[in-house]
Amino acid sequence: MKDARLEQQIRFLLEIDQLKQVERRSYLADGSRRENSAEHSWHLAMMAVLLCEHLDDPGIDLLRVMKMLLIHDLVEIDAGDTYAYDPQGQEDKYDRELACANRLFRLLPEEQRDELMALWQEFEEGISPEAKYAAALDRLQPMLLNYAAQGRSWREHGIHSRQVLARQEAIAEVSQKLGDYSRGLIQDAVAKGYLKAQG
Amino acid sequence: MKDARLEQQIRFLLEIDQLKQVERRSYLADGSRRENSAEHSWHLAMMAVLLCEHLDDPGIDLLRVMKMLLIHDLVEIDAGDTYAYDPQGQEDKYDRELACANRLFRLLPEEQRDELMALWQEFEEGISPEAKYAAALDRLQPMLLNYAAQGRSWREHGIHSRQVLARQEAIAEVSQKLGDYSRGLIQDAVAKGYLKAQG
């Protein structure tokens, strides 16, 4: 006998398999290939578990952060990954992503659709401590990969340290320690020629 | 100023980036390429969130399940993915994986090392409700992908329905509903020629 809720959930779970085919700009740490958004989401959830002690205000709901990170990029399935340093792509990013969120989450039973939509919107609004922590990790992770891959993606796109420093502010906002660390990483990246100075 | 704990954590987070390069036997749902263990882990964590209502005994700690699923395959970084239907590979699997767990988790600060090692061992032992749910999802997910990809991986390895049914028992053990669903999927797969009957 078919269970309607389970059928909807399985349909959704197969649909989101496509996140594994959304290519990001960042390369893996060893520079061998570009990262995809599904493995990126896994990496962020691992970071959320291990780095939460460094938050200035550690009173967060880690489970909510993890759910948020697992779903935050699902909207790229239709909208594609919009490069952080592409001002034109950023313009209509929200509209494209909202259309995808509506399509995907509607596959689910009603209260799960509402939960995931609310989590995604919380992430996009970036106001709650959980959303801010998730956003900070989403900025820190590509920096770590870019640095490990000797700035390959930064160099390919002619990125300057000022652009990376501007994105880094979201990290310092939730954690002085992670903020200091990421600023140091950017300085190091400039010193090693992975990233252009100023700009 | 360098923070020793943070340096250890970042070192670990970059080391586990390699999970993105561990190739599994399953193909993506559209059959286009093999899945890797990092995106597989992401997919399982998503399943854990959405399917927990179907557990016969729903009193589980979802956060622990999710952590367990995110880390359960890290040991493949050194040990490789051992195919579920490879009896020879299964023989020394635990020893190879334990050596990797020791190497990887020792990169972390002591209490995080202990937490992750305990979670991995809990998963391996498969006794707690959380470990059983995690194991059930780890069996269900490749079935869903294999079915969606018209049995490509099953056919490549000459797998019979009896072998898949035997692995499916871990699903029925935690959830009658998921057990019924996966048995139905196997019957359908045989009917459609994705999977050999009996064997």
Side-chain angles (χ1 to χ4, degrees):
Chain A
M1 204 167 69
K2 300 269 180 181
D3 179 276
R5 285 182 62 90
L6 181 54
E7 296 283 340
Q8 288 177 292
Q9 290 156 340
I10 299 282
R11 168 86 204 282
F12 175 83
L13 288 166
L14 283 171
E15 186 73 18
I16 67 171
D17 196 64
Q18 295 174 74
L19 193 65
K20 301 168 187 170
Q21 311 214 47
V22 175
E23 199 173 65
R24 291 170 48 82
R25 301 297 172 110
S26 300
Y27 288 86
L28 300 191
D30 71 356
S32 58
R33 65 163 171 85
R34 289 220 162 99
E35 191 189 33
N36 71 57
S37 292
E39 58 198 12
H40 163 72
S41 301
W42 163 79
H43 212 172
L44 291 182
M46 284 296 309
M47 290 174 74
V49 172
L50 292 172
L51 301 180
C52 57
E53 70 186 57
H54 302 299
L55 286 169
D56 296 336
D57 178 2
I60 52 142
D61 179 344
L62 182 59
L63 179 59
R64 210 159 87 239
V65 173
M66 288 170 73
K67 288 180 178 178
M68 214 180 276
L69 288 170
L70 293 176
I71 67 151
H72 82 291
D73 273 345
L74 288 179
V75 292
E76 295 177 354
I77 286 174
D78 295 342
D81 177 50
T82 307
Y83 191 38
Y85 303 108
D86 168 14
Q88 217 168 351
Q90 294 294 328
E91 257 175 41
D92 62 341
K93 180 171 183 267
Y94 183 76
D95 293 340
R96 286 182 287 121
E97 294 189 345
L98 180 62
C100 181
N102 278 319
R103 181 181 78 78
L104 285 179
F105 297 146
R106 278 193 189 142
L107 298 172
L108 285 169
E110 190 174 341
E111 89 290 355
Q112 290 190 326
R113 175 191 73 194
D114 292 347
E115 184 195 355
L116 266 52
M117 181 59 94
L119 276 170
W120 178 67
Q121 286 179 326
E122 184 181 340
F123 175 79
E124 285 296 310
E125 286 162 8
I127 293 169
S128 73
E130 283 78 10
K132 285 186 174 176
Y133 181 39
L137 297 174
D138 196 29
R139 308 240 163 145
L140 178 58
Q141 191 257 9
M143 280 186 211
L144 295 177
L145 290 191
N146 261 318
Y147 184 89
Q150 308 189 330
R152 183 163 172 193
S153 178
W154 287 325
R155 284 185 285 112
E156 280 181 0
H157 297 92
I159 304 301
H160 292 80
S161 62
R162 204 179 51 184
Q163 293 168 280
V164 186
L165 276 168
R167 283 186 64 75
Q168 179 276 346
E169 280 167 21
I171 303 171
E173 203 189 322
V174 298
S175 163
Q176 200 194 326
K177 198 169 276 179
L178 295 178
D180 290 349
Y181 180 87
S182 53
R183 261 191 305 275
L185 201 75
I186 294 168
Q187 285 166 1
D188 256 25
V190 171
K192 288 185 170 157
Y194 301 165
L195 184 60
K196 288 194 216 176
Q198 303 305 325
Chain B
M1 203 166 68
K2 300 270 183 184
D3 179 276
R5 285 181 63 89
L6 181 54
E7 295 283 339
Q8 288 177 291
Q9 291 156 339
I10 299 282
R11 169 84 203 284
F12 175 83
L13 287 166
L14 283 171
E15 187 72 19
I16 66 171
D17 196 64
Q18 294 173 76
L19 192 65
K20 300 168 187 170
Q21 311 214 45
V22 176
E23 198 172 67
R24 292 169 48 80
R25 301 297 171 110
S26 300
Y27 288 86
L28 300 191
D30 70 357
S32 57
R33 65 162 172 83
R34 289 219 162 98
E35 190 189 33
N36 72 57
S37 292
E39 57 198 12
H40 164 71
S41 301
W42 163 79
H43 213 171
L44 291 182
M46 284 295 310
M47 290 174 74
V49 172
L50 292 171
L51 301 180
C52 58
E53 70 187 58
H54 302 299
L55 287 169
D56 296 336
D57 178 3
I60 52 143
D61 179 344
L62 183 58
L63 179 59
R64 209 159 89 241
V65 174
M66 287 170 73
K67 288 181 179 178
M68 214 179 274
L69 288 170
L70 292 176
I71 67 151
H72 81 291
D73 272 345
L74 288 178
V75 293
E76 295 176 354
I77 286 174
D78 295 344
D81 176 50
T82 307
Y83 191 40
Y85 303 107
D86 167 16
Q88 219 167 352
Q90 295 293 329
E91 255 176 43
D92 62 342
K93 180 172 181 265
Y94 183 77
D95 293 341
R96 286 182 287 121
E97 294 190 344
L98 180 62
C100 181
N102 277 318
R103 180 181 79 75
L104 285 179
F105 298 145
R106 277 193 189 140
L107 298 172
L108 285 169
E110 192 173 340
E111 91 287 356
Q112 290 190 327
R113 175 190 74 195
D114 293 348
E115 184 195 356
L116 265 52
M117 181 60 94
L119 276 170
W120 177 67
Q121 285 178 327
E122 185 181 339
F123 176 79
E124 286 295 310
E125 286 162 10
I127 295 169
S128 73
E130 283 78 10
K132 285 186 174 177
Y133 181 38
L137 296 174
D138 196 28
R139 306 239 164 147
L140 178 58
Q141 191 258 7
M143 277 185 213
L144 295 177
L145 290 190
N146 260 319
Y147 184 88
Q150 308 188 329
R152 182 162 173 193
S153 178
W154 286 325
R155 284 184 285 112
E156 280 181 2
H157 297 92
I159 303 301
H160 292 79
S161 62
R162 204 179 52 185
Q163 291 168 282
V164 186
L165 278 167
R167 284 186 63 75
Q168 180 275 345
E169 280 168 20
I171 302 170
E173 204 188 321
V174 299
S175 163
Q176 202 195 322
K177 198 168 278 182
L178 294 178
D180 289 348
Y181 180 87
S182 53
R183 259 192 306 274
L185 201 74
I186 294 168
Q187 285 167 358
D188 256 24
V190 171
K192 288 185 171 158
Y194 301 165
L195 185 61
K196 288 193 217 177
Q198 302 306 323

